[in-house]
Amino acid sequence: MMLDFSRQFASIREEVLGAIEAVCASQRFILGPEVARFEAAAAAACGVAHAVGCASGTDALWLAMAAVGVGPGDAVVTTPFSFFATVSAILRCGARPLLADIDAATYNLRPEAVMEVLRSASGVKAVMPVHLYGQCANWDAFGAMGREHGVMLVEDAAQAFGASWRGVAAGGLDAAAAFSFYPTKNLSAFGDAGMVTTQSADLDERIRMLRTHGMRRRYFHDEVGWNSRLDSIQAAVLEVKLRYVARGNERRRQLAVRYDELLRGAGLAGGSIAEGIVLPFTDPRAEHVFHQYVVRAARRDALREYLTARQIGSEIYYPLPLHMQAALAGLGYKAGDFPVSEQAAAEVLALPMYPELREDEQEIVVAAIARFYQ
Ligand SMILES: Cc1ncc(COP(=O)(O)O)c(C=O)c1O
């Protein structure tokens, strides 16, 4: 029940298969007309001037940072409470990741914690907030930080297609942004795919150059780029799904309100973790798209086991903060360095959330949680 892809596919089957068939008929599999069409439509949806399709969200992060000039000798500040790619993309640019703790209510990077890093570290070129679970990071604070401290801001908007901050859509909040269209995302491809957005024509040109081996002219390489193009077939699928994403996000928001009401109604959300579970917090300045609906529970692992035994899907995003990952031991952090992230990693639980989730299924989820706490 966590995520049933077949429900969405059933509703758009003919459109998607028709779009894939058109690519097969043209045999233009790399950067075909579907890619340009999807890029234009996605840019319009995000309210940005430019969108560049690429092979994954991870590549999109790397392309965005490389395009704004992050490279060896630079540092980039980000969150330890995210998917691994947030930090690995910084390393792949040859730069040094510096971490700062999160806000306990939104789970997003805490601006004051980033400011402490900016005061103590040198060489910080960029800050990369992640719009975790589909809610934009505090862009009042990050926007001001970019202007006042001369750092570039790159959004990790992998989980936030259609989200906004004070009416400005994710992807257009600052220099450049990265999206993922991994199959579990709210706008998803039939495989790996990603996109970088920017308002700058210069950055757009650089990103396009970097995604095709640093070529501006065929077989003349100005920089060492990468092969990170968006397949025409994926663009064709995305072009169809883009038509439905706003409606899907709206449904996610309705389902989130309904979860809140059902969980409160069952007496499970008394406000503190000691009294049951803590509901997601929505910042009134942010339009949340509920890519994930995430609650907190003190006995999270036992609750998850209980739900799993009853065939109720749930997921932990993420069980181990990035500063404690074996692969990132070289960063020099240790357990205890980011206590808010560490506590979140021990307590968060994502409940089933996707536009096709049925209301009776939501009731089953909440009833099971209620039985666990009886
Ligand atoms: C916050 C975040 N950043 C980056 C990525 C990387 O995206 P992808 O899996 O498309 O490479 C993801 C998704 O997996 C993500 O959730």
Side-chain angles (χ1 to χ4, degrees), residues 56-58 61 82-83 85-86 130 156 158-159 180 182 185 192-193 318:
S56 69
T58 306
L61 285 171
S82 181
F83 180 61
T86 301
V130 179
D156 181 341
Q159 304 187 2
S180 164
Y182 181 79
K185 298 294 191 262
D192 278 310
Y318 296 89

Side-chain angles (χ1 to χ4, degrees), residues 331-343:
L331 299 184
Y333 294 109
K334 59 182 186 318
D337 283 349
F338 303 106
V340 186
S341 298
E342 289 167 35
Q343 198 174 343

Side-chain angles (χ1 to χ4, degrees), residues 25-38:
S26 78
Q27 293 286 302
R28 293 183 61 189
F29 295 114
I30 301 288
L31 297 183
E34 294 78 10
V35 175
R37 280 206 310 266
F38 169 68

Side-chain angles (χ1 to χ4, degrees), residues 43-302:
C46 297
V48 294
H50 308 279
V52 185
C54 63
S56 69
T58 306
D59 278 8
L61 285 171
W62 170 74
L63 284 165
M65 280 186 288
V68 303
V70 171
D74 295 327
V76 179
V77 187
T78 194
T79 163
F81 194 57
S82 181
F83 180 61
F84 183 71
T86 301
V87 164
S88 69
I90 297 170
L91 291 167
R92 191 163 132 200
C93 285
R96 192 161 45 99
L98 295 175
L99 303 177
D101 213 347
I102 56 168
D103 176 84
T106 64
Y107 309 106
N108 279 326
L109 191 57
R110 199 163 65 85
E112 298 77 11
V114 176
M115 279 307 304
E116 274 171 38
V117 177
L118 291 186
R119 278 192 284 270
S120 62
S122 60
V124 176
K125 179 85 163 235
V127 176
M128 186 160 63
V130 179
H131 305 321
L132 202 70
Y133 306 145
Q135 172 162 242
C136 287
N138 177 352
W139 221 266
D140 288 3
F142 287 117
M145 196 182 292
R147 289 188 297 276
E148 288 159 23
H149 297 274
V151 286
M152 309 290 291
L153 291 167
V154 175
E155 300 167 61
D156 181 341
Q159 304 187 2
F161 196 97
S164 60
W165 180 264
R166 290 192 189 276
V168 180
L173 291 167
D174 220 281
F179 290 89
S180 164
F181 303 129
Y182 181 79
T184 58
K185 298 294 191 262
N186 62 334
L187 176 59
S188 58
F190 282 3
D192 278 310
M195 177 178 84
V196 188
T197 54
T198 177
Q199 301 284 21
S200 153
D202 288 347
L203 285 182
D204 173 66
E205 195 272 338
R206 271 190 63 71
I207 297 159
R208 287 175 193 280
M209 177 268 294
L210 290 168
R211 82 170 168 181
T212 48
H213 289 296
M215 284 192 290
R216 289 191 168 89
R217 254 192 318 151
R218 203 165 168 76
Y219 303 130
F220 292 82
H221 302 267
D222 301 331
E223 285 185 44
V224 179
W226 201 252
N227 171 7
S228 184
R229 298 168 298 224
L230 176 62
D231 288 346
S232 305
I233 285 182
Q234 299 301 350
V237 172
L238 287 163
E239 204 186 353
V240 172
K241 289 199 183 188
L242 182 62
R243 296 182 203 130
Y244 300 97
V245 70
R247 202 183 302 171
N249 285 342
E250 191 47 46
R251 184 63 188 147
R252 287 170 185 270
R253 278 191 283 272
Q254 289 168 357
L255 290 167
V257 168
R258 203 159 175 276
Y259 261 136
D260 287 354
E261 287 169 0
L262 290 168
L263 290 163
R264 278 205 195 94
L268 291 165
S272 88
I273 201 157
E275 298 166 69
I277 60 176
V278 175
L279 301 181
F281 169 78
T282 306
D283 190 310
R285 296 166 293 183
E287 186 159 52
H288 202 319
V289 292
F290 289 96
H291 168 61
Q292 299 297 343
Y293 181 88
V294 175
V295 298
R296 284 178 95 117
R299 289 193 294 137
R300 189 269 317 272
D301 292 337

